[in-house]
Amino acid sequence: VSLAGIHLVDFDGFTGSHGGTEISTKALTALAPAFAGVRNLSLSCRGYQKECFSPQALATLGDHAEGIEFLSINYSQCGLGKYDDPDLPRIAPIDEYAEVIATHPGFKTLKAVKFVGADPAQLEGMPNLVSLNTSDWSRVDAEGLERLKTGAG
């Protein structure tokens, strides 16, 4: 199954629903080839390790992320509406996910990243990046805004 040609695949509720859909490591690894050619992808990584994808699964996605331009990850250590359970294994720290995005060759085509809570310094050097949102407010510099308007990057 290929989702190539689909403009936006949204597992985060980015387009209007409440919550989002967590994708486990096993599921993201299995689905990664289907995302080849998808330009905009929104993922939810909120909760505990058993229900969320790992940085390694994100790297597997990067192996297949041909032409991806926008990536949004909603990251939180404990899921919405769940009580904190210290006995459940936690997901990896946010900087491990950001490191994959910043360094994996499959993500070099990204023009926009929304990853609230990530350290912008980890992501700012990406070669095609014109929009970076690591807080509740979008960060686009003047040159990046012009590139977005003209389609020059």
Side-chain angles (χ1 to χ4, degrees):
V1 173
S2 172
L3 300 174
I6 294 178
H7 183 73
L8 171 65
V9 177
D10 178 15
F11 289 96
D12 179 36
F14 179 74
T15 56
S17 72
H18 264 308
T21 302
E22 270 55 76
I23 299 178
S24 69
T25 291
K26 182 178 178 181
L28 186 58
T29 301
L31 290 170
F35 292 124
V38 171
R39 291 178 38 209
N40 302 285
L41 181 60
S42 181
L43 299 172
S44 182
C45 187
R46 300 178 314 196
Y48 297 100
Q49 195 176 80
K50 68 178 178 154
E51 56 208 10
C52 295
F53 60 89
S54 66
Q56 293 79 14
L58 185 61
T60 300
L61 174 65
D63 292 339
H64 301 279
E66 302 159 9
I68 189 168
E69 295 179 358
F70 171 79
L71 178 65
S72 173
I73 299 178
N74 187 346
Y75 173 94
S76 177
Q77 278 286 349
C78 58
L80 223 53
K82 298 180 182 174
Y83 296 103
D84 188 32
D85 186 341
D87 295 329
L88 290 176
R90 302 251 179 213
I91 57 177
I94 196 168
D95 62 327
E96 292 183 25
Y97 294 88
E99 181 68 18
V100 171
I101 296 167
T103 61
H104 193 289
F107 294 120
K108 71 180 181 293
T109 57
L110 283 169
K111 294 179 181 181
V113 173
K114 180 181 181 197
F115 199 8
V116 174
D119 179 358
Q122 277 189 282
L123 301 166
E124 287 176 337
M126 297 178 67
N128 294 304
L129 197 65
V130 293
S131 176
L132 175 60
N133 182 350
T134 58
S135 68
D136 288 332
W137 298 99
S138 183
R139 293 180 48 185
V140 180
D141 64 20
E143 180 184 341
L145 184 58
E146 187 59 32
R147 286 174 56 198
L148 280 173
K149 285 180 186 176
T150 62

